[in-house]
Amino acid sequence: MPYHDTVTDMKQGISYCILVSILIMGTLLFSGCTEQSAPETTETIKIGVVASMSGPASTTGKDIWQSAELAANEINADGGVLVKELNKKIPITLVQGDDESTREGGIKAVSKLITQDNVDLLVGGYSSAVVSAHQSIVADNKVPYIISGGSSTAVSHRDDIDTSYMFFHRPNTDDSAKASVIFINEVVRPEIYKKFNLPEDRPLRVALIFQDSPFGKGQQEAVLHLIKEMDLPIEIVAEETFKMGESDFRTTLTSVKSKKPDLIYAVTFLNELIPLTQQAKRDVGMNTLILSIENNDDPDYYTGVGEYGDYTLMESRFSPYAIPKGSTSEMTKQFLDNFKQKYGGFAGMMGAATYESIYIATKAIEEAGTTEKGAVQKTLSDLTTDHMMEVMKDGKITFSPDYHESSFDLYVEQMKIDPAVGEIRPSIVWPESIKEKGFEIPDWYQPGST
Amino acid sequence: MDGNFEIIAQVLFWGIYSGCIYILLATGLNLIFGVMKIVNFAHGEFLMLGTYITFFLFIMSGFNPYVLLCASIPLLVVIGIIVERLCFRPILGTGKLNEIFVSIGLIYIIQNLVARIWTDEWKTIQSPYRDITLDLGVIYVPLDYLIIMAVTAILLIGLYLFLHKTWIGTAIRATSQDRAGAMLMGINVERMDMITFGIGAALAGAAGTLWAVSGQVFNPYMGSIPAIKAFAIIILGGLGSIPGAIIGGLAVGLVENGAAYTLGGAWKDAVSFILLIIVLIIRPTGLFGEDEE
Amino acid sequence: MNLSFIREKKISLPLITIIIALVLPHILGSNLYFLTVLNLMLIFIIYASAWNFLTFSGQGSLGHAAFFGMGGYFSSLIAIKAGVPLIIAIIAGAGLTSVIGVLIGMTCVRLREWFLAMVTFGFAVIIQTIVVISQLNPITGGWDGYAVPKLIPLSIPGSQMIEYYCILIIAIGSILLFQFLLKSKTGLALAAIRENEMEAKASGINPVPFKLFAFGISSFITAIAGALEVAHFGYISPEIFGTDISFWPIIYSITGGLGTLAGPVVGTVVISLLWEGLNALGLTYERFIVIGVLLILTIIFLPKGLVSLPDAIKNLKKDGK
């Protein structure tokens, strides 16, 4: 490097450094303040929405954000949230925190929401890995956080930090595995055995295909544990993993087919379930039933899977097409309609949970009569309120005293081709209380041999 | 015993199918390496563009997706030429590994442009022949896979004929063997760079069409892993050796599916790299690479 | 003109940077968000500098997340299982990582650059796969990961600020270490190998130990950065081996200036600020496009990175005159 002009070099160096430091401060202040530039003259309740607006999870992130927006608009149209302390209704302002689907992005977004935007409450959160990385600052800053993702119990059952300010409005991996296993044992097993005259002492042959991730492993462990604990006549004949984002399951399915299962339990994301179902039917020629899990209940599954989805089963809690009868159906219909009107398209399961979270948050603030975080945390812990769209245990949303988890009443749907739309459509087949139709075994179905 | 044989035949078949995609990717990469002595790490983005172009045209026109190869190949040639001209020519002959760093930038640009245009939701299309299954004696296979293998073979034969029977092909081979010499013989090597890059991109694009037709889902980020494996394949087979790319592609396809069968699907990515590292420890220039120094 | 000025320039620039780094949190106020951004920035400065050090030996890596992640896992496991203070665990974990780094380096030293890139990338994939295999679940926690002790316990008042200064000291320390190494005889040998391996061999330098040394040091410091990151998060999970974690230091070092000590520092600061700024503007996909374009433009038009920008502008002015 030429040093012929050292004096000017040095001057330039200093000015360069000063420039850099101005740049640092400028950008940080700028990026820290943009949200604050919104008119602050009127009092508002600030709710931070932690969502993956970019990166691999961005489809879900948008669902979360839009549903939160919908809820906030509805509440604000009604004048806002009644805060007793101030004796008037106060509108909600949502602040977006993009976690970029990464741990680094998440911790930056959440710390910004907490200190820059001074949010009164947080909602959202999706990937368990991302949530686990920013839990400690939430604990440290004592901001109530209603988490609609992070389904792994490793996130909600942490004991190294104070999770008292975190509330989990989602079924954890144990809950959804339990629903699936009970359905398999109480409905699928008797039907198959009756139809094919199988001996009662033959265990039902189930093949597990699961994503190599906290989500998939959590389900696998829960299923194995439940079968053992409840001493169910179910034998796991295959346990196959695949990498997240996999689209070629042909070899995996060939291996599963050779184990002759009666049913496949698939723990996948939507983009994996579609090729898995197609390849099982078309490429590997399996004449068996596939039971998948709640996060796949998305309009894209119904269009993507085509006729190969006929008779498949899905454990679910929120569906675009199957609305459980009872007290939740009216609100669900309205939510789906409003969502479609505003954004064009369907709201997903994560969106529904976030929409509910906003209402839970306002309920807690109304009951507490203040936005003071400690008081809100306390009301949230004791809160009992009617369920809204997703069917809850006993029809009430309430957070368990130990890990602050709400309990869902999960259901199972069976898909059938609807000739009118040329796509599959679900009907609820379990549990008894809300079922629309009985579980059916298709003509082409063949049980695995003994 | 009979059942076992059937399963092994089936797994082999899936191995050959995934090998086809890898072969097309790796052959393109290797062709480019031969002429320009660079490795385009963003090669998988051409695969992804191929799937999206097929998807887009299929939705627009409703044509048979195999026919759409006629559109995706020339389009990818043009895109490849533009990328070569703008991003790779300026760095030819500069620092080591620079092309890999440029490729990282390209990966970000192409992926996010596509996500910007078509969103990053997963997409899928269906082949018109999806219901047809053939009995091969040992195993039943859907017709589509046989067409995919045939298309791959035709493309490779076409490439062979192009390289050996046409003037441009001969000039490309000459440039690949001795760039300075080719220049002295009056070959415009920069034009050869452009053509080769275009062909390489087109092969990746064709692989993209085949990927989509086989019913596999795709999104803007799907190209990276296959491309990295293609990169591993050309190293495995030896840089610049097209037979090496073909054999390496098949080997990785088979090993991967064998691993998915025996060790489980989670090992699929790791096992191709383990294979690569083992080969490189034994033979640092790859299976078919020429010894240097 | 005379030597004293050169010395002054060389010292004054880093000195001013350090002073800025020392006072910055006080100017901005001890604020969680700023400190989080600054802490992550410092961690990535350490990481990018370590990656960059490898290029001084003429080698490159596309899988440094392997060392970053191993640093995180080893150090936190040592801290938890052996109950030693975190700082000792970090050093021990980094030492262990550098042993593996040297082993990986041994398979790499004979390879040409493209092969090296691929093999390092492959190691990151392989190590992630090994960490999550079910047999190791009791130790690594599998995909769930596990909670990690914080660098500074949250119970201490102003822990974020203390953490910042701790990381700052480590960052300055590692850059000084790199400077010392580059000025030493080893550094000269590395430069000779980088410029022309054949000539270096001819003049009696055996490149292998030097290349391995570079691998060892680079993975050691990278592991420290990784350990600091998980200690900052208070949690570790296998996402730490992700491709993006391997690519960031490359982007930072190249835009800053490959093969310079200041490069990774400048690159990390500028790119992460740009990232935050674009984020504040609500740009999502566009952020990546901007970074990608910037990266390619830097490689083509400013091969020595942003640190050479003042010189480039000066030259341009001179040509203009």
Side-chain angles (χ1 to χ4, degrees), chain A residues 4 6 22 54 65 82 162 181 218 242 250 269 271-272 283 431:
Chain A
H4 46 269
T6 13
I22 291 171
S54 49
W65 171 249
L82 179 70
D162 171 21
V181 168
F242 59 87
R250 299 173 180 101
F269 285 168
N271 54 293
E272 296 148 356
D283 299 350

PDB file of all heavy atoms in Angstrom, chain A residues 4 6 22 54 65 82 162 181 218 242 250 269 271-272 283 431:
ATOM      1  N   HIS A   4       2.961   7.314   0.502  1.00  0.00           N
ATOM      2  CA  HIS A   4       3.726   8.490   0.124  1.00  0.00           C
ATOM      3  C   HIS A   4       3.160   9.762   0.739  1.00  0.00           C
ATOM      4  O   HIS A   4       3.851  10.732   0.941  1.00  0.00           O
ATOM      5  CB  HIS A   4       3.763   8.617  -1.384  1.00  0.00           C
ATOM      6  CG  HIS A   4       2.407   8.423  -2.000  1.00  0.00           C
ATOM      7  ND1 HIS A   4       1.962   7.185  -2.411  1.00  0.00           N
ATOM      8  CD2 HIS A   4       1.392   9.286  -2.226  1.00  0.00           C
ATOM      9  CE1 HIS A   4       0.738   7.303  -2.879  1.00  0.00           C
ATOM     10  NE2 HIS A   4       0.367   8.565  -2.783  1.00  0.00           N
ATOM     11  N   THR A   6       1.593  10.566   3.835  1.00  0.00           N
ATOM     12  CA  THR A   6       1.123  10.091   5.125  1.00  0.00           C
ATOM     13  C   THR A   6       0.281  11.098   5.879  1.00  0.00           C
ATOM     14  O   THR A   6      -0.616  10.719   6.604  1.00  0.00           O
ATOM     15  CB  THR A   6       2.292   9.662   6.013  1.00  0.00           C
ATOM     16  OG1 THR A   6       3.465  10.149   5.423  1.00  0.00           O
ATOM     17  CG2 THR A   6       2.319   8.176   6.139  1.00  0.00           C
ATOM     18  N   ILE A  22     -20.179   8.098  13.172  1.00  0.00           N
ATOM     19  CA  ILE A  22     -21.458   8.780  12.938  1.00  0.00           C
ATOM     20  C   ILE A  22     -22.435   7.812  12.286  1.00  0.00           C
ATOM     21  O   ILE A  22     -23.605   7.736  12.640  1.00  0.00           O
ATOM     22  CB  ILE A  22     -21.245  10.036  12.059  1.00  0.00           C
ATOM     23  CG1 ILE A  22     -20.464  11.084  12.855  1.00  0.00           C
ATOM     24  CG2 ILE A  22     -22.577  10.607  11.594  1.00  0.00           C
ATOM     25  CD1 ILE A  22     -20.020  12.272  12.032  1.00  0.00           C
ATOM     26  N   SER A  54     -39.199 -12.564   7.165  1.00  0.00           N
ATOM     27  CA  SER A  54     -38.295 -12.963   6.094  1.00  0.00           C
ATOM     28  C   SER A  54     -37.655 -14.286   6.470  1.00  0.00           C
ATOM     29  O   SER A  54     -37.761 -14.729   7.611  1.00  0.00           O
ATOM     30  CB  SER A  54     -37.228 -11.886   5.863  1.00  0.00           C
ATOM     31  OG  SER A  54     -36.636 -11.506   7.066  1.00  0.00           O
ATOM     32  N   TRP A  65     -48.638 -12.123  11.376  1.00  0.00           N
ATOM     33  CA  TRP A  65     -48.735 -10.663  11.392  1.00  0.00           C
ATOM     34  C   TRP A  65     -50.110 -10.190  10.920  1.00  0.00           C
ATOM     35  O   TRP A  65     -50.747  -9.350  11.555  1.00  0.00           O
ATOM     36  CB  TRP A  65     -47.620 -10.063  10.553  1.00  0.00           C
ATOM     37  CG  TRP A  65     -47.777  -8.593  10.334  1.00  0.00           C
ATOM     38  CD1 TRP A  65     -48.067  -7.956   9.170  1.00  0.00           C
ATOM     39  CD2 TRP A  65     -47.672  -7.547  11.333  1.00  0.00           C
ATOM     40  NE1 TRP A  65     -48.155  -6.609   9.360  1.00  0.00           N
ATOM     41  CE2 TRP A  65     -47.908  -6.327  10.686  1.00  0.00           C
ATOM     42  CE3 TRP A  65     -47.410  -7.549  12.710  1.00  0.00           C
ATOM     43  CZ2 TRP A  65     -47.898  -5.097  11.348  1.00  0.00           C
ATOM     44  CZ3 TRP A  65     -47.394  -6.318  13.372  1.00  0.00           C
ATOM     45  CH2 TRP A  65     -47.632  -5.114  12.705  1.00  0.00           C
ATOM     46  N   LEU A  82     -60.670  -1.173  27.172  1.00  0.00           N
ATOM     47  CA  LEU A  82     -61.053  -0.376  28.339  1.00  0.00           C
ATOM     48  C   LEU A  82     -60.023  -0.578  29.455  1.00  0.00           C
ATOM     49  O   LEU A  82     -59.821  -1.689  29.934  1.00  0.00           O
ATOM     50  CB  LEU A  82     -62.439  -0.796  28.823  1.00  0.00           C
ATOM     51  CG  LEU A  82     -62.935  -0.039  30.059  1.00  0.00           C
ATOM     52  CD1 LEU A  82     -63.260   1.414  29.712  1.00  0.00           C
ATOM     53  CD2 LEU A  82     -64.135  -0.736  30.667  1.00  0.00           C
ATOM     54  N   ASP A 162     -36.454 -17.699  34.286  1.00  0.00           N
ATOM     55  CA  ASP A 162     -37.767 -17.468  34.868  1.00  0.00           C
ATOM     56  C   ASP A 162     -38.782 -17.341  33.731  1.00  0.00           C
ATOM     57  O   ASP A 162     -38.809 -16.339  33.015  1.00  0.00           O
ATOM     58  CB  ASP A 162     -37.697 -16.182  35.697  1.00  0.00           C
ATOM     59  CG  ASP A 162     -39.071 -15.748  36.172  1.00  0.00           C
ATOM     60  OD1 ASP A 162     -39.975 -16.603  36.211  1.00  0.00           O
ATOM     61  OD2 ASP A 162     -39.215 -14.555  36.508  1.00  0.00           O
ATOM     62  N   VAL A 181     -52.458 -40.601  18.796  1.00  0.00           N
ATOM     63  CA  VAL A 181     -52.324 -41.978  19.267  1.00  0.00           C
ATOM     64  C   VAL A 181     -53.672 -42.511  19.751  1.00  0.00           C
ATOM     65  O   VAL A 181     -54.052 -43.650  19.442  1.00  0.00           O
ATOM     66  CB  VAL A 181     -51.255 -42.058  20.379  1.00  0.00           C
ATOM     67  CG1 VAL A 181     -51.307 -43.406  21.067  1.00  0.00           C
ATOM     68  CG2 VAL A 181     -49.882 -41.825  19.795  1.00  0.00           C
ATOM     69  N   GLY A 218     -39.636 -34.386  18.742  1.00  0.00           N
ATOM     70  CA  GLY A 218     -40.545 -34.238  19.870  1.00  0.00           C
ATOM     71  C   GLY A 218     -41.748 -35.147  19.720  1.00  0.00           C
ATOM     72  O   GLY A 218     -42.161 -35.837  20.661  1.00  0.00           O
ATOM     73  N   PHE A 242     -36.166 -37.687   8.060  1.00  0.00           N
ATOM     74  CA  PHE A 242     -35.731 -37.018   6.830  1.00  0.00           C
ATOM     75  C   PHE A 242     -35.305 -35.604   7.183  1.00  0.00           C
ATOM     76  O   PHE A 242     -35.703 -35.061   8.207  1.00  0.00           O
ATOM     77  CB  PHE A 242     -36.856 -37.008   5.791  1.00  0.00           C
ATOM     78  CG  PHE A 242     -38.103 -36.320   6.257  1.00  0.00           C
ATOM     79  CD1 PHE A 242     -38.244 -34.958   6.095  1.00  0.00           C
ATOM     80  CD2 PHE A 242     -39.118 -37.030   6.867  1.00  0.00           C
ATOM     81  CE1 PHE A 242     -39.388 -34.308   6.550  1.00  0.00           C
ATOM     82  CE2 PHE A 242     -40.270 -36.387   7.321  1.00  0.00           C
ATOM     83  CZ  PHE A 242     -40.399 -35.024   7.162  1.00  0.00           C
ATOM     84  N   ARG A 250     -38.853 -41.171  -1.796  1.00  0.00           N
ATOM     85  CA  ARG A 250     -39.139 -42.440  -2.452  1.00  0.00           C
ATOM     86  C   ARG A 250     -38.428 -43.599  -1.766  1.00  0.00           C
ATOM     87  O   ARG A 250     -39.031 -44.652  -1.525  1.00  0.00           O
ATOM     88  CB  ARG A 250     -38.760 -42.330  -3.921  1.00  0.00           C
ATOM     89  CG  ARG A 250     -39.569 -41.231  -4.606  1.00  0.00           C
ATOM     90  CD  ARG A 250     -39.106 -40.973  -6.020  1.00  0.00           C
ATOM     91  NE  ARG A 250     -39.905 -39.915  -6.629  1.00  0.00           N
ATOM     92  CZ  ARG A 250     -39.496 -38.665  -6.750  1.00  0.00           C
ATOM     93  NH1 ARG A 250     -38.301 -38.304  -6.336  1.00  0.00           N
ATOM     94  NH2 ARG A 250     -40.272 -37.750  -7.295  1.00  0.00           N
ATOM     95  N   PHE A 269     -43.658 -30.850   7.617  1.00  0.00           N
ATOM     96  CA  PHE A 269     -44.187 -29.561   7.232  1.00  0.00           C
ATOM     97  C   PHE A 269     -44.989 -29.776   5.956  1.00  0.00           C
ATOM     98  O   PHE A 269     -44.845 -30.796   5.283  1.00  0.00           O
ATOM     99  CB  PHE A 269     -43.067 -28.547   6.983  1.00  0.00           C
ATOM    100  CG  PHE A 269     -42.419 -28.030   8.234  1.00  0.00           C
ATOM    101  CD1 PHE A 269     -41.240 -27.297   8.165  1.00  0.00           C
ATOM    102  CD2 PHE A 269     -42.973 -28.260   9.474  1.00  0.00           C
ATOM    103  CE1 PHE A 269     -40.643 -26.810   9.316  1.00  0.00           C
ATOM    104  CE2 PHE A 269     -42.380 -27.774  10.629  1.00  0.00           C
ATOM    105  CZ  PHE A 269     -41.206 -27.049  10.548  1.00  0.00           C
ATOM    106  N   ASN A 271     -44.736 -28.541   2.980  1.00  0.00           N
ATOM    107  CA  ASN A 271     -43.976 -28.771   1.756  1.00  0.00           C
ATOM    108  C   ASN A 271     -43.399 -30.187   1.690  1.00  0.00           C
ATOM    109  O   ASN A 271     -42.955 -30.629   0.651  1.00  0.00           O
ATOM    110  CB  ASN A 271     -42.852 -27.749   1.630  1.00  0.00           C
ATOM    111  CG  ASN A 271     -41.984 -27.714   2.848  1.00  0.00           C
ATOM    112  OD1 ASN A 271     -42.408 -27.319   3.926  1.00  0.00           O
ATOM    113  ND2 ASN A 271     -40.759 -28.172   2.704  1.00  0.00           N
ATOM    114  N   GLU A 272     -43.406 -30.876   2.827  1.00  0.00           N
ATOM    115  CA  GLU A 272     -42.909 -32.251   2.833  1.00  0.00           C
ATOM    116  C   GLU A 272     -44.059 -33.242   2.716  1.00  0.00           C
ATOM    117  O   GLU A 272     -43.927 -34.298   2.109  1.00  0.00           O
ATOM    118  CB  GLU A 272     -42.128 -32.514   4.121  1.00  0.00           C
ATOM    119  CG  GLU A 272     -40.883 -31.664   4.223  1.00  0.00           C
ATOM    120  CD  GLU A 272     -40.519 -31.293   5.651  1.00  0.00           C
ATOM    121  OE1 GLU A 272     -41.270 -31.636   6.586  1.00  0.00           O
ATOM    122  OE2 GLU A 272     -39.500 -30.634   5.834  1.00  0.00           O
ATOM    123  N   ASP A 283     -45.666 -43.354  -6.578  1.00  0.00           N
ATOM    124  CA  ASP A 283     -44.365 -43.908  -6.951  1.00  0.00           C
ATOM    125  C   ASP A 283     -44.095 -45.242  -6.282  1.00  0.00           C
ATOM    126  O   ASP A 283     -43.501 -46.136  -6.863  1.00  0.00           O
ATOM    127  CB  ASP A 283     -43.240 -42.929  -6.585  1.00  0.00           C
ATOM    128  CG  ASP A 283     -43.401 -41.616  -7.327  1.00  0.00           C
ATOM    129  OD1 ASP A 283     -44.256 -41.567  -8.232  1.00  0.00           O
ATOM    130  OD2 ASP A 283     -42.689 -40.660  -7.007  1.00  0.00           O
ATOM    131  N   PRO A 431     -63.099 -36.118  17.774  1.00  0.00           N
ATOM    132  CA  PRO A 431     -63.777 -36.994  18.740  1.00  0.00           C
ATOM    133  C   PRO A 431     -65.295 -37.017  18.516  1.00  0.00           C
ATOM    134  O   PRO A 431     -65.831 -36.234  17.747  1.00  0.00           O
ATOM    135  CB  PRO A 431     -63.437 -36.341  20.075  1.00  0.00           C
ATOM    136  CG  PRO A 431     -63.265 -34.905  19.760  1.00  0.00           C
ATOM    137  CD  PRO A 431     -62.713 -34.835  18.371  1.00  0.00           C
TER     138      PRO A 431
END
